[in-house]
Structure formats: structure tokens, C-alpha cells
Amino acid sequence: MGRVADEKVLVLDFGSQYAQLIARRVRHQHVYCEIVRHDITADRIRELAPKGLILSGGPSSVYADGAPKCDPGIFDLGLPVLGICYGMQLICEALGSQVSPAPAREYGRAQCRVTSDDALLAGVPRETQVWMSHGDQVAVASDDFVPLAQTDTCRLAAVRHRRLPIYGLQFHPEVTHTPHGEQILGNFLRETCGCAGTWRLVDFAEQTVDEVRRRVGDDRVICGLSGGVDSAVVAALLARAIGPRLSCILVDNGLLRKGEADAVIREFSDHFKTDLHVVPAKDRFLDALAGLVDPQDKRRAIGRVFIDCFADAAARIEGARFLAQGTLYPDVIESGGSLDGPAATIKLHHNVGGLPEDLSFELIEPLRDLFKDEVRQLGLQLGLPEDIVWRHPFPGPGLAVRCLGPVTRERLATLREADAIVVEEIKRAGLYRKTSQSFAVLLPIQSVGVMGDARTYDDAVAVRSIDSEDFMTADWSRLPYELLARISTRIINEVPGVNRVVYDISSKPPATIEWE
């Protein structure tokens, strides 16, 4: 990964839900950042030559049996180290301090007082808000640590080592609930690590284009288009790199959003002028889905048919040696394939593990170092229109997992029209870019209604809109009542067979974003 940046920072992941957010915040400071295993060796870190290390938070207690620990040799490398929450407790314990359960747990916002001048907290007000999430804390610090900040219930909210470039924060600077967190991270990167902040996406794009050209040579690359942002940006990047030697395959499964297939065909035929192969397969997918209700059965059926359709189309493209996929950095991390591996494999992502090995293609994943927000920026740089770049995420199985119960042509048509109204009204209200994901769900129930003085017994539609930083956690969007009223009125009036609309006000967790 040396091609990505001359200077980088590593995040050692101890199981924090915020590890990816830390890496993104570092990259926002124009410093390249990667997530690695918590137990990466000091020798391996020395080989990678980072400018600094950040130890993430985590759910464990450092004094518990089996708690994740780091190689103590990392503190002898002379590298700047910043420990966050669990990371701070781990540092302090390893260097002679005592960690124990806190007298009062802190979860949420807290007022923090800066008690000592230090470069890490330069520019931070003496009284500031921070976000706490801990049940343990450093109870007794060794003489090697200098207190920098405190809250009413945490005497050591921030510390630094007297001799080594090592810092600890009990609070989370990476979350938006810590208003000056970005300043603190920036101070660590610039003042302590000496980072110049030279990493730019435009440089990444140029490097990736050159790398793809060298690797592909005179061969041909196949790229599957799904209608989503990731595959569109991959295709645009490859189009710039190899031009006519790119062949795109769009499997039209009948499960896309309204007008989506036409928009993709238009963009990659007219604008990028790629060799586009459209596979009309609506009937094949509907036949495979006939009678299926369980969401996992739906996913498996869709996956089987997709692989068959894609493989058939790919076999007809002469000279194809490479297969391009829109794998992103979070996909790699969650699938167990990040640099030196993550702390644990969370799931097998559909991009990373979806296609069979016997397709006999070499894999190209030009976006595997990027987060979603960086992919969107790259798409704009490559000339993709904003309505594709800023399109809300869409599940791989498409509308089939938003059509609860049986998937039929008629129910898909109902869902597609309702979903289009949701998106159209949220755009009209100027909230599409401010919400993270908005869509309709067709429920497998009917309810009694009255329309035109007649009794009805028709379908119910749920509207889902969420706000999220990283899609690992999410909260429901507080949409204006007037907007919800317009959406409800339009769906009931314009979509035949629907007489009730409900709004989903559950967060993730405990709910998921999608209903299936």
C-alpha cells in the first residue's frame, strides 16, 4: 500500500465501533490512515514506517482475562502514540498506572476542563464538551504521566507521558459530539507526528489510473454495474485508465429502483461510451423468487441467478482477463482482509466473497483503500453526475428485500412507485443530501381503509429515513411533519392498492437499516 501515501498513520483496532470513524477523521486532515490488528508486532510496524499510531477504544476491560493487548514493544519505537478510551487505559496500564471500574460511569456528553497547557489541546477552550463512553478509567496514574484535562467524574480525562510522545484521551475526539475533537486530532497529527497533510484524492486517482494501466496492459477488464455509487465510480475510473478495453455488464434483474437501469445505461453508453452489455433477466429473477418469503432464501436465490447471468455474459467477452469490483475499505476490514487483518472478522461482504473462483479472472479492486465519502468525492472528480454520485445506498438484492413477503411483478411495481415518491419528495424538500438513506418498504399486511366512501382492504407502506456517519449505527431522520404528510398523501392517492403509510422511528441498533 505504499503507493497510497508517503506519510500514514495506523489505527490499532481493539474492537471499537468507532475505529473506522477514527481513520476517516485522520484522512479528513489529509493524512492517509489504515486500520490494523490490535496485536500487530512492533517489527511489522517498523517495516510499515508510519508517522504515528492511534489505539482505538473497545468494549473490554484492560484488567479482564483475555482482554486484547498490544505488543508492548510499540512503546519503544519512538513513535507518537495516541490512546483513545480503552486505548488510553491500555497505554497507562502498560506504563505503570492502575485502571479500575469508575465510581460513576460516563456515557454521553460531558463537560471537560483543560487543566494544563499542551500542544495536543492547543486551540481547545478551557471548558469544552466531550463525548464519553466508558465504565473504567485510570484510577492512579504513574509519575510518568501528566494530567491535561478532567471532568466532574473523571480526574484523568487526558494525559501525556513526561518523556515519550505518548498521549491518552478518555473521551472520543472522533465523534461529532466532541466539537473540538477534530482540532485535537489535527494537533496530534501535525504537532506530535509531524505530518504535513499531503494526501489528496486527486493524487490517489492518478496513481490508481497508472497502476491499472500497467497491470492490465493490452488485456480487457470486465466491470459489473449495479446502479450503485461504488460500481459506477469503478467503471468511471477504469474508463479513464483503459478506455475501450473496459467492458461493463449490467444485469437488469427487475429489482432496481424506478428509472435506475435506464440512467446507468444512458451514462455509460452516451457519456463514458463504454462497451456495455445489458443482460435482460427480469423473468429469470422473478421465477427464482416465486414463493420465497424468507429474506435469506431471497438473497441466495438472487445470488445464484446473478452469478449465472454474469458468468454467461462474461464468457462472451473476448480477451477478458480481469474482473473489477467496487470493494471499499470498510468491506475489506469487515471481511477480514485489511492490512495485517482486523481484530475479528465481522461478516463476509458480498463484494469481497460473492463471485465463484472458477470465473477465472484476476481481481481488480481500485477502491479498496477508500471510504464511502471518499468514493463520492472521487466520482465527482471523474465527471460522474451528482444524481449518481450522491445516490443513497441500495442493498445488493435490490427491492426484493424491501418487498416483505412474496416478491411478484405487481408488488414490485407498487413498491417501486411508492419508493420513487419518497425520494422525489425528500429531494424537493432539499433533504436528500442531509439524510443518509431514505426509501419505502412494502409490508406483507393489508389493513382496512375508506376511500371514496367505500371500504378498502389494501397494502401498507412503511417509509424509512435514517441519518448516519458510517451506517454501523444510525438514527431515524426527524423529517418535518408537512413532508411526511405530503409523502403519505401522494402514495395513497397515486399508488393503486395502498391505503396506509407508516413512518419507521427505530434506530440502529437495535433495529437494522433495511427491514430484511
Side-chain angles (χ1 to χ4, degrees), residues 53-67:
L53 306 175
I54 298 177
L55 278 55
S56 82
S60 303
S61 294
V62 296
Y63 48 78
D65 292 339

Side-chain angles (χ1 to χ4, degrees), residues 191-233:
E191 303 303 325
T192 308
C193 299
C195 293
T198 57
W199 187 68
R200 298 290 188 277
L201 264 180
V202 64
D203 297 328
F204 170 88
E206 292 172 358
Q207 292 169 353
T208 304
V209 164
D210 291 341
E211 184 181 88
V212 168
R213 283 174 180 160
R214 287 195 302 271
R215 184 178 174 194
V216 171
D218 295 327
D219 292 309
R220 179 168 290 276
V221 178
I222 292 175
C223 178
L225 290 174
S226 66
V229 177
D230 305 337
S231 65
V233 174

Side-chain angles (χ1 to χ4, degrees), residues 319-331:
R321 178 183 166 191
F322 297 93
L323 174 66
Q325 288 192 150
T327 307
L328 305 190
Y329 194 44
D331 305 334

Side-chain angles (χ1 to χ4, degrees), residues 39 93 126 172 201 208 254 259 278-279 285 349 375 393 421 450 478 492:
D39 55 359
E93 186 197 50
R126 306 297 288 191
H172 290 270
L201 264 180
T208 304
V278 180
V279 181
F285 280 88
H349 191 273
V375 171
I421 289 171
V450 178
R478 271 57 171 181
I492 291 172

Side-chain angles (χ1 to χ4, degrees), residues 10-15 34-41 44-45 48 53-56 68-71 74 329 333 336-345:
L10 302 181
V11 174
L12 278 63
D13 183 7
F14 291 89
E34 289 177 352
I35 299 173
V36 297
R37 287 183 63 101
H38 67 278
D39 55 359
I40 183 173
T41 66
R44 179 60 178 144
I45 290 175
L48 295 170
L53 306 175
I54 298 177
L55 278 55
S56 82
K69 300 294 176 87
C70 61
D71 181 348
I74 69 174
Y329 194 44
I333 296 166
S338 66
L339 176 63
D340 293 293
T345 297

Side-chain angles (χ1 to χ4, degrees), residues 5-308:
D6 294 329
E7 56 181 25
K8 62 171 169 278
V9 167
L10 302 181
V11 174
L12 278 63
D13 183 7
F14 291 89
S16 171
Q17 63 176 321
Y18 297 135
Q20 293 187 30
L21 187 54
I22 295 171
R24 288 174 56 208
R25 292 288 183 252
V26 172
R27 292 191 187 186
H28 289 170
Q29 304 269 352
H30 301 296
V31 176
Y32 186 69
C33 187
E34 289 177 352
I35 299 173
V36 297
R37 287 183 63 101
H38 67 278
D39 55 359
I40 183 173
T41 66
D43 287 341
R44 179 60 178 144
I45 290 175
R46 190 181 289 108
E47 292 174 7
L48 295 170
K51 301 283 283 186
L53 306 175
I54 298 177
L55 278 55
S56 82
S60 303
S61 294
V62 296
Y63 48 78
D65 292 339
K69 300 294 176 87
C70 61
D71 181 348
I74 69 174
F75 303 123
D76 298 325
L77 295 174
L79 286 173
V81 181
L82 174 65
I84 296 174
C85 197
Y86 180 89
M88 168 181 168
Q89 297 163 17
L90 188 67
I91 288 171
C92 290
E93 186 197 50
L95 298 177
S97 301
Q98 179 186 334
V99 177
S100 61
R105 296 185 175 190
E106 283 187 303
Y107 293 99
R109 294 175 175 86
Q111 284 301 116
C112 182
R113 294 181 296 280
V114 176
T115 57
S116 179
D117 292 331
D118 189 89
L120 182 70
L121 301 178
V124 177
R126 306 297 288 191
E127 294 274 341
T128 185
Q129 177 183 288
V130 298
W131 182 262
M132 289 285 199
S133 181
H134 68 101
D136 299 326
Q137 63 185 34
V138 179
V140 180
S142 73
D143 291 338
D144 287 329
F145 287 97
V146 177
L148 301 180
Q150 65 181 33
T151 69
D152 289 341
T153 57
C154 182
R155 185 174 58 86
L156 299 170
V159 298
R160 69 168 171 83
H161 197 278
R162 291 185 188 277
R163 294 177 292 101
L164 303 174
I166 294 177
Y167 288 88
L169 299 172
Q170 184 56 67
F171 56 87
H172 290 270
E174 70 273 21
V175 301
T176 55
H177 303 303
T178 300
H180 293 91
E182 188 173 346
Q183 176 72 35
I184 296 171
L185 286 174
N187 289 341
F188 175 71
L189 296 170
R190 291 186 298 271
E191 303 303 325
T192 308
C193 299
C195 293
T198 57
W199 187 68
R200 298 290 188 277
L201 264 180
V202 64
D203 297 328
F204 170 88
E206 292 172 358
Q207 292 169 353
T208 304
V209 164
D210 291 341
E211 184 181 88
V212 168
R213 283 174 180 160
R214 287 195 302 271
R215 184 178 174 194
V216 171
D218 295 327
D219 292 309
R220 179 168 290 276
V221 178
I222 292 175
C223 178
L225 290 174
S226 66
V229 177
D230 305 337
S231 65
V233 174
V234 168
L237 188 67
L238 291 170
R240 173 171 294 188
I242 59 174
R245 283 175 287 118
L246 169 65
S247 294
C248 294
I249 297 175
L250 172 64
V251 177
D252 188 357
N253 57 17
L255 305 173
L256 299 178
R257 289 169 283 200
K258 184 176 182 180
E260 199 158 47
D262 291 339
V264 172
I265 291 169
R266 184 168 56 251
E267 188 64 27
F268 286 92
S269 294
D270 300 342
H271 186 119
F272 289 102
K273 302 191 183 303
T274 57
D275 176 36
L276 178 60
H277 301 252
V278 180
V279 181
K282 297 177 183 178
D283 292 338
R284 289 181 65 177
F285 280 88
L286 281 173
D287 290 345
L289 288 166
L292 300 184
V293 174
D294 182 86
Q296 292 304 100
D297 291 339
K298 292 180 185 178
R299 290 175 185 273
R300 281 190 285 267
I302 291 167
R304 285 194 300 269
V305 177
F306 173 79
I307 288 170
D308 290 343

Side-chain angles (χ1 to χ4, degrees), residues 279-497:
V279 181
K282 297 177 183 178
D283 292 338
R284 289 181 65 177
F285 280 88
L286 281 173
D287 290 345
L289 288 166
L292 300 184
V293 174
D294 182 86
Q296 292 304 100
D297 291 339
K298 292 180 185 178
R299 290 175 185 273
R300 281 190 285 267
I302 291 167
R304 285 194 300 269
V305 177
F306 173 79
I307 288 170
D308 290 343
C309 292
F310 192 92
D312 289 345
R316 297 189 180 96
I317 299 174
E318 295 184 4
R321 178 183 166 191
F322 297 93
L323 174 66
Q325 288 192 150
T327 307
L328 305 190
Y329 194 44
D331 305 334
V332 176
I333 296 166
E334 293 182 357
S335 302
S338 66
L339 176 63
D340 293 293
T345 297
I346 300 171
K347 67 179 181 179
L348 184 64
H349 191 273
H350 65 277
N351 276 347
V352 179
L355 292 173
E357 295 179 1
D358 58 6
L359 282 181
S360 301
F361 293 114
E362 292 184 35
L363 196 60
I364 289 181
E365 297 173 311
L367 307 181
R368 66 180 286 118
D369 295 323
L370 301 184
F371 288 103
K372 190 76 171 190
D373 56 332
E374 295 167 334
V375 171
R376 293 189 193 278
Q377 295 175 43
L378 181 59
L380 293 174
Q381 291 179 12
L382 292 168
L384 282 171
E386 290 200 1
D387 62 337
I388 287 182
V389 170
W390 291 106
R391 183 172 293 155
H392 283 180
F394 191 57
L399 294 180
V401 291
R402 294 179 178 173
C403 184
L404 277 58
V407 181
T408 65
R409 194 181 305 274
E410 294 73 25
R411 298 192 80 227
L412 284 172
T414 298
L415 174 57
R416 190 174 285 112
E417 291 302 319
D419 183 74
I421 289 171
V422 171
V423 173
E424 182 179 318
E425 287 298 333
I426 287 178
K427 284 182 175 178
R428 184 175 295 167
L431 295 175
Y432 190 74
R433 292 271 294 275
K434 296 179 180 178
T435 55
S436 302
Q437 198 166 343
S438 304
F439 54 92
V441 179
L442 182 60
L443 304 182
I445 58 172
Q446 287 75 45
S447 66
V448 174
V450 178
M451 300 176 74
D453 295 326
R455 177 185 182 276
T456 63
Y457 191 63
D458 285 335
D459 289 325
V461 166
V463 175
R464 179 75 156 143
S465 183
I466 59 99
D467 302 326
S468 178
E469 281 275 347
D470 54 13
F471 293 91
M472 299 178 71
T473 61
D475 196 10
W476 57 279
S477 304
R478 271 57 171 181
L479 298 180
Y481 290 158
E482 295 80 5
L483 172 58
L484 291 172
R486 284 197 303 273
I487 290 172
S488 176
T489 300
R490 284 196 58 193
I491 290 176
I492 291 172
N493 287 343
E494 298 176 28
V495 182

